[in-house]
Amino acid sequence: MKRVRFRDSAGNVRGGRWTTVDGEDVVTAAAGPYGRIAFGDETYSPDEVDILAPCEPTKIVCIGLNYEDHAAETGKDVPDRPMLFLKPPNTVATHGQRVTVPADKERIDFEAELAVVIGEQCRNVSASGAEDVIAGYTCMNDLSNRDDQRVEQNWVRGKAFDDAAPIGPLLATPEHLKDDATIESRVNGDTRQSSSIDNLIFSIPELIEEITAYMTLEPGDVISTGTPAGVGPLEDGDEVEIEIEGIGTLRHTVHVP
Ligand code: MG
C-alpha cells in the first residue's frame, strides 16, 4: 500500500491511499498510523489537494557518506561506523513545494536519498529486529548548504535551514522496496545521480541498530540513508526530481531569495 497525507480544498488534513505511483486519484481510506484525519467515501485528484509530507517526524536522522562513490567525490574516507547528523522538523518540505533556500550562497546542493519512516516508538533495536519498526519508505532531498557546511562542525546552518528536507510524496509499505532499487535525481529533466540502494555501505537494519543504541525513535521519524555520487549545485527556478524505483518520485522547485 502507498499512503499519502493531503489537505483537501476545505482545509481538512486527510490520510489516504494512493492508487498508483504517479497516480491519478487519491482514495481516502482508513487512517493508519500516518493518516491524521481520514476518510469517507470521497475520491480526489492530486490536482485538487495539497500533498503533505507523508509523515510528521520529530527528527530526521541523516547518514553521511553511505555510498562509496559519494565519499570519493567529497574526498573523504568511508567511515568505520555510520556518520550521523540531524534535521529538525522545521526542515520538512513537501512534494510540489517551491522550496526557498538560504540567500547569497555559492552552493546549495541536491542529494537524492532513500528515507526510512519509523512505525513505532523504539530504542535498542537489533539489526535482526529492525524490520518490525519500519512503517515504509519515501524519497528525500537532503538539501545541503555547502558554504556553511564546509566551515562548521555541527552543520546547523549547512543542513538544518527551513525546508532543507523535501520529502514524499508517498509512504510506500516495505514490500514495495526492491533490494536493488534504483535511486536517481534529475534537475530540469537531466539525470544527475543514478545508483542503486544495494550500494549502501551500512544497511538499513545496521543503521536502525546503531541509531537506536543512542536515541529513541518515534512513529513518523525518518532515517535518510545517504546519497550516491553526482551531487551538485542548484539555482533559482530549478526543478528537482528524486525518484526511487517502486517508491515514488518527489518533485519540487527551488527559489533563491
Ligand atoms: Mg545526505
Side-chain angles (χ1 to χ4, degrees), residues 6-121:
F6 63 97
R7 183 180 292 108
D8 69 16
S9 57
N12 301 305
V13 174
R14 296 180 178 270
R17 183 170 59 85
W18 194 268
T19 55
T20 69
V21 175
D22 296 306
E24 293 76 44
D25 292 321
V26 177
V27 180
T28 56
Y34 301 101
R36 290 187 55 190
I37 296 180
F39 36 85
D41 298 327
E42 306 95 341
T43 60
Y44 298 84
S45 159
D47 297 337
E48 296 176 299
V49 302
D50 293 326
I51 304 292
L52 305 176
C55 55
E56 296 178 282
T58 69
K59 55 193 168 295
I60 300 170
V61 186
C62 297
I63 316 302
L65 306 176
N66 204 20
Y67 289 79
E68 283 188 27
D69 55 0
H70 176 60
E73 75 178 346
T74 64
K76 304 249 172 57
D77 293 331
V78 170
D80 58 10
R81 63 177 186 170
M83 205 276 278
L84 307 181
F85 60 95
L86 289 174
K87 291 194 171 209
N90 67 297
T91 62
V92 172
T94 63
H95 177 79
Q97 186 174 330
R98 179 174 180 251
V99 168
T100 300
V101 299
D104 303 321
K105 305 297 179 187
E106 293 283 323
R107 274 190 72 154
I108 305 288
D109 281 10
F110 57 86
E111 294 191 355
E113 306 205 356
L114 171 69
V116 182
V117 180
I118 296 298
E120 61 186 65
Q121 189 183 70

Side-chain angles (χ1 to χ4, degrees), residues 157-168:
R157 296 174 187 82
K159 291 282 194 175
F161 55 88
D162 284 353
D163 297 342
I167 188 168

